[in-house]
Amino acid sequence: MKVIGQVKIVSKFDPVFDKMPALGYEPVMQTEDQFGILHTVDDPANLTEYHRIMDGYLAFSPDTMDQLDRLLAKEDIPQAICFKGYLLKMAGGPRFTPAVRKCLNRLRLLKLNKRELAHMEVLRTWMEHHHVDALNRLEEIIDQYPRDLLALRTVHYLHFYTGNSRALLDSVSQRLQFWDECDPYYGHLLGMQSFGLEESAQYREAEIVGRRACELNPEDIWAGHAMTHVFHMQGRWVDGIQWMQDMMPHWRSCNNFKFHLYWHKALMHLGKSDYEPALAVYDDYLAGALGDDFYLDACNAASLLWRFEMAGIATGDRWQRLYEISVDRVEDDELVFSTLHYLMAPAMLQDKPTVDKALEHFKKWSARSTTQGEVCNKVGLKLARAIVALARGDASGAKTLAEVRQDVRLIGGSWAQRELFKDLQAYYQEAGNS
């Protein structure tokens, strides 16, 4: 056995292909990485490069996709192609579907090992909007390969958008036993566990694990993000603001996700009734990010602007700027969560044609036999109608929110994000009673 960098050249063929001659496959030479995972790759140096890109991804590097494209220009590494396809799906928009399909077509031309074939099936299933099936298949992969970090991180995302807090926690917690504290990704796994603990309302444990994760790697913005949720859910606004002031310098080179952390900071200022700093956060950080057309930026902006409205803060022309981004996204069918937020600006600005188009889209979406179609049927369409009603001052929307309150978690997102709907219900219900 010969060691090259972080990979081992293994004189080993994947035995699954010895049993699949009817499919036209030939035995595939494999390279084993430092975690014992076999990869189909010609040049072991390219596998080392793949792990370097994974490092950047976990640090929310803005050039992860560019780095993947450069790697894939050198060699069609199946794991890297799956990685790219997953990132495109996580971008949260149907406009990325053609690029996802290209990834699948590229994979179909390659000789893949058993695990890579399973990843390809996950990508196909996810592209066809069967999120839960994709999630379950990823869990099966992790059962067999608990040190497959791509599977672990991707299933973490999918659990997050099913609203199943327990599964979000268990998925990573059950696999930690297969990792060692000396492993370079161990701190990132703790960050994921911390977030699962927080979403499961285990705040003390979440803080202990989150602080440890940040000690191991202060640049782990996901672990830092888990900590902001702990502070938010406990109403520890001063602690939260101080935490972010201390940690933000570590996250300056992160992608747009850092603006979500600023969103949290604005919420903490609102929690303290410090309206000027909250508005300043919006203007200095969140508004400028809207031009990047990333769904989370629009969600941040929409939910914060509506909170400003409920706090009596003048929003000026800020809804109009968000509207310019949202108007072309009200028929997106990737996530009910994001499309509901895209609806908010047109609803608040009383753009009836766009609102009608959006509601018709939600109605058709709710008839589809896909994961998000079922979510739309259960709760999404009702939430959309409630948003439109409340935006025009019709307090009956609060009654609708009360009716679906137990099902709002199905749209995914965090408790802190979904808290908006609880606040809207309370605010407009009181307004309707006064």
Side-chain angles (χ1 to χ4, degrees):
M1 186 179 295
K2 181 182 178 186
V3 177
I4 299 182
Q6 296 181 326
V7 299
K8 300 173 184 176
I9 310 303
V10 181
S11 296
K12 183 185 294 184
F13 293 98
D14 187 342
V16 70
F17 290 99
D18 295 331
K19 302 175 184 178
M20 298 173 64
L23 297 178
Y25 289 107
E26 299 175 2
V28 180
M29 183 64 80
Q30 302 291 289
T31 301
E32 184 179 288
D33 68 15
Q34 60 184 319
F35 305 110
I37 301 292
L38 292 175
H39 297 263
T40 304
V41 59
D42 292 332
D43 185 350
N46 288 336
L47 184 54
T48 300
E49 178 67 9
Y50 165 84
H51 282 295
R52 190 190 66 77
I53 295 170
M54 176 61 73
D55 293 342
Y57 165 66
L58 293 172
F60 286 74
S61 172
D63 67 346
T64 297
M65 187 64 80
D66 291 339
Q67 294 287 339
L68 272 175
D69 284 337
R70 279 193 281 272
L71 174 61
L72 290 171
K74 293 190 286 185
E75 181 181 350
D76 279 334
I77 301 174
Q79 189 84 345
I81 297 172
C82 290
F83 189 5
K84 178 177 179 177
Y86 291 161
L87 288 181
L88 289 165
K89 287 297 294 180
M90 291 179 196
R95 62 194 184 280
F96 301 111
T97 299
V100 177
R101 188 171 287 110
K102 284 183 180 179
C103 289
L104 275 172
N105 291 338
R106 197 169 179 177
L107 286 165
R108 289 182 178 123
L109 297 174
L110 303 177
K111 298 168 186 175
L112 311 176
N113 65 33
K114 182 180 179 181
R115 186 185 57 83
E116 292 161 349
L117 279 168
H119 271 289
M120 183 177 74
E121 181 63 15
V122 168
L123 186 59
R124 182 194 65 78
T125 305
W126 193 0
M127 185 189 72
E128 294 174 355
H129 299 290
H130 300 295
H131 297 62
V132 172
D133 290 343
L135 181 158
N136 290 335
R137 189 68 186 98
L138 277 169
E139 288 287 359
E140 291 172 1
I141 293 174
I142 303 168
D143 284 341
Q144 297 180 61
Y145 309 96
R147 287 164 67 83
D148 184 334
L149 188 67
L150 180 63
L152 277 165
R153 192 69 174 192
T154 305
V155 84
H156 192 66
Y157 171 92
L158 284 168
H159 279 306
F160 179 64
Y161 279 110
T162 62
N164 188 336
S165 301
R166 190 73 224 180
L168 184 73
L169 172 60
D170 290 347
S171 180
V172 63
S173 295
Q174 292 170 1
R175 278 61 183 242
L176 272 172
Q177 62 180 307
F178 299 100
W179 294 77
D180 189 272
E181 288 192 20
C182 297
D183 288 329
Y185 297 139
Y186 188 78
H188 291 289
L189 294 172
L190 290 182
M192 293 161 60
Q193 185 187 39
S194 174
F195 188 63
L197 285 164
E198 177 278 321
E199 288 297 291
S200 300
Q202 299 179 50
Y203 303 126
R204 181 176 179 274
E205 295 82 355
E207 183 170 354
I208 292 170
V209 175
R211 287 189 184 277
R212 177 58 179 153
C214 291
E215 287 171 1
L216 290 171
N217 181 12
E219 295 182 357
D220 183 357
I221 193 172
W222 188 253
H225 169 247
M227 289 291 295
T228 65
H229 276 267
V230 170
F231 294 129
H232 178 102
M233 297 306 292
Q234 295 181 317
R236 293 163 58 190
W237 313 125
V238 174
D239 290 344
I241 292 170
Q242 185 61 54
W243 167 261
M244 280 186 278
Q245 287 175 344
D246 292 341
M247 297 299 292
M248 279 295 181
H250 296 290
W251 306 328
R252 284 174 182 158
S253 61
C254 293
N255 62 20
N256 280 42
F257 189 70
K258 64 177 175 280
F259 299 120
H260 182 64
L261 275 291
Y262 280 110
W263 174 81
H264 276 284
K265 189 176 183 182
L267 290 185
M268 289 175 183
H269 284 300
L270 281 180
K272 292 177 69 227
S273 299
D274 289 345
Y275 300 146
E276 237 179 89
L279 199 59
V281 169
Y282 184 93
D283 291 337
D284 294 344
Y285 299 102
L286 304 190
L290 291 174
D292 295 330
D293 198 10
F294 176 46
Y295 80 95
L296 187 56
D297 293 327
C299 294
N300 294 334
S303 64
L304 191 53
L305 284 179
W306 211 326
R307 285 178 167 95
F308 287 162
E309 296 282 353
M310 289 187 286
I313 303 170
T315 55
D317 63 354
R318 294 177 181 85
W319 279 111
Q320 181 61 40
R321 172 63 176 142
L322 177 58
Y323 169 86
E324 293 165 5
I325 303 299
S326 302
V327 66
D328 294 325
R329 302 285 176 230
V330 295
E331 293 180 294
D332 277 11
D333 61 357
E334 184 64 35
L335 292 169
V336 169
F337 176 88
S338 55
T339 307
L340 286 170
H341 285 80
Y342 283 132
L343 173 60
M344 291 178 186
M348 290 297 284
L349 294 178
Q350 303 300 307
D351 177 2
K352 190 174 186 303
T354 299
V355 165
D356 289 346
K357 181 173 69 173
L359 291 177
E360 182 62 23
H361 167 65
F362 274 99
K363 183 178 179 181
K364 291 178 180 177
W365 197 0
S366 66
R368 297 182 197 168
S369 56
T370 62
T371 298
Q372 292 296 301
E374 292 168 5
V375 171
C376 198
N377 181 55
K378 184 80 172 177
V379 67
L381 177 59
K382 294 173 184 175
L383 287 175
R385 288 170 173 164
I387 286 169
V388 171
L390 296 179
R392 65 169 181 257
D394 182 352
S396 68
K399 182 180 179 181
T400 301
L401 290 180
E403 292 169 355
V404 299
R405 183 168 179 172
Q406 297 304 314
D407 293 325
V408 173
R409 64 174 183 81
L410 297 177
I411 69 173
S414 67
W415 289 105
Q417 287 173 311
R418 296 191 301 267
E419 193 174 54
L420 173 67
F421 296 102
K422 182 178 73 173
D423 292 344
L424 287 170
Q425 177 196 333
Y427 178 84
Y428 286 95
Q429 187 171 307
E430 183 178 343
N433 292 334
S434 61

